[in-house]
């Protein structure tokens, strides 16, 4: 069954002419993505003050991301029963509480546990926020996605910088900063986001796993898992190898985040239109693999590692946008179900990578985790080359369904979404 929605012909198309509900959720999105980079600059300080190994410190990412991955399987089930606004509020309340508790952690084990609770709130929030923005924004789906991607880019860029500034005072302050800012986002959501109805037919809890039986969606999810392995090796392990103070690490990852934002929002769409989705992904994965290979060879040379970490932001920005875009295009189920299925797989890669990097880096060499990232990216390239034609056909099929609508009289058309109730 094919369905589509469109903004009224008279709806404003300005990116800035949006209702307050959109900006309230977008602000919370910025803080949510800031929460990922907030922790980066304080990893060495946490390890030193809590006498924790690299593997233990890396678990701050692993517990957070693995719980996020598993929780993705229930987000559609929850939101279809209580509505989008209540799901957002539930996620935000959990984040506010567990971020504050993390700042009070008496041990590394307690902090790992609080980060896991934070991951549950993060899953409920990020899985629902895009759908709420799309449902509230004027100007159609493309404008709504642009707002979401801009919020993500801003959060990823600013998070490490603010985390470094607060981390210079003490490792507890970035956690408190996230909690306070998310509390503002919670208040904005309560005040400005209208109540959203529950789904006419609630989503089954097994729907995301069943969605992975669709070949192109499964392939892209595995590609995303391999990419996320490399991404979180850079994000979670490189700060431990550099061993710089919070301000220095904040500045480095601020530069990295700016490139993530720029290439995600501005460069990725242009490259995709000119060269096609699969060729751009293959080229980007290959270049990122070369970048990580340089990290692996010169991991003990700070100047080289700093440069390559910052440059990796270009490739991460391209991949973040293009892989997610491809998933939304090839999926044959509702967007929330496709997003949950895809996120479940990819966050497993992101969750395992920091812990494995910490263990192998300590047991073998600081060079080994980066080489493992190179191998993951090489496997992603091989998989895309092997089945890229299948993915390309699926993407083209989704485009073909849009063209008849664009050629007709329907105002402000947006892409058709094929879906099967699960």
């Amino acid at each position: 069954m094919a369905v589509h929605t469109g903004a009224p012909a008279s709806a404003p198309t300005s990116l800035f002419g949006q209702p307050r509900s959109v900006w309230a959720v977008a602000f919370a999105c910025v803080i949510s993505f800031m929460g990922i980079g907030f922790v980066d600059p304080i990893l060495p300080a946490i390890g030193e003050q809590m006498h924790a190994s690299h593997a233990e410190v890396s678990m701050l990412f692993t517990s957070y991301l693995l719980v996020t991955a598993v929780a993705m399987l229930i987000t559609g089930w929850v939101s279809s029963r209580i509505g989008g606004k209540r799901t957002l509020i539930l996620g935000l309340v959990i984040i506010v509480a567990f971020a504050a508790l993390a700042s009070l952690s008496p041990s590394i084990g307690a902090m790992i546990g609080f980060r896991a609770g934070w991951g549950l709130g993060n899953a409920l929030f990020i899985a629902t926020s895009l759908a709420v923005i799309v449902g509230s924004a004027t100007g159609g789906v493309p404008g709504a996605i642009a707002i979401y991607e801009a919020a993500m880019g801003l959060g990823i860029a600013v998070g490490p910088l603010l985390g470094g500034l607060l981390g210079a005072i003490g490792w507890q302050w970035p956690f408190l900063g996230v909690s306070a800012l998310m509390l503002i986002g919670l208040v904005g959501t309560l005040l400005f986001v209208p109540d959203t109805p529950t789904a006419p037919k609630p989503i089954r809890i097994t729907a995301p796993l069943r969605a992975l039986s669709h070949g192109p969606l499964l392939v892209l999810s595995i590609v995303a898992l391999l990419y996320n392995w490399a991404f979180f090796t850079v994000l979670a392990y490189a700060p431990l190898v550099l061993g710089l103070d919070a301000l220095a690490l904040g500045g480095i990852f601020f530069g990295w985040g700016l490139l993530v934002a720029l290439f995600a929002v501005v460069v990725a769409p242009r490259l995709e239109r000119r060269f096609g989705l699969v060729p751009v992904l293959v080229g980007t994965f290959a270049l990122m693999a070369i970048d990580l290979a340089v990290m692996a060879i010169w991991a003990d040379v700070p100047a080289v590692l700093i440069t390559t970490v910052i440059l990796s932001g270009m490739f991460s920005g391209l991949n973040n946008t293009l892989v997610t875009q491809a998933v939304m295009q090839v999926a044959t189920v509702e967007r929330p179900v496709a997003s949950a299925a895809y996120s479940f797989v990819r966050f497993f890669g992101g969750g395992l990578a920091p812990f494995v990097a910490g263990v192998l880096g300590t047991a073998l060499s600081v060079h080994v985790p980066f080489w493992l990232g190179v191998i993951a990216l090489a496997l992603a390239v091989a998989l895309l080359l092997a089945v890229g034609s299948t993915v390309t056909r699926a993407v083209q099929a989704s485009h073909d369904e849009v063209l008849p609508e664009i050629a007709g009289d329907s105002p402000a058309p947006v892409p058709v979404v094929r879906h099967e109730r699960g």
Side-chain angles (χ1 to χ4, degrees), residues 60-101:
L60 294 175
F61 276 93
T62 295
S63 64
Y64 172 80
L65 291 168
L66 289 183
V67 170
T68 297
V70 175
M72 282 291 176
L73 296 177
I74 66 167
T75 54
W77 183 85
V78 172
S79 64
S80 66
R81 284 162 173 79
I82 68 174
K85 179 177 180 177
R86 291 187 180 91
T87 306
L88 284 179
I89 291 170
L90 178 60
L92 288 168
V93 168
I94 293 173
I95 294 172
V96 169
F98 279 93
L101 288 170

Side-chain angles (χ1 to χ4, degrees), residues 7 42 108 130 224 304 315 362 384:
I42 58 174
I108 189 68
L130 177 57
V304 175
F315 314 119
T362 301
L384 280 175

Side-chain angles (χ1 to χ4, degrees), residues 265-298:
V265 177
V266 178
V267 181
R270 297 179 180 181
L271 289 178
E272 193 270 340
R273 285 194 297 268
R274 181 167 183 179
F275 299 107
L277 180 70
V278 172
V280 174
L281 280 177
V282 169
T284 304
F285 284 138
L287 290 172
M288 189 171 182
I290 295 171
D291 188 63
L292 261 74
V294 176
M295 292 186 201
I297 296 170
W298 287 287

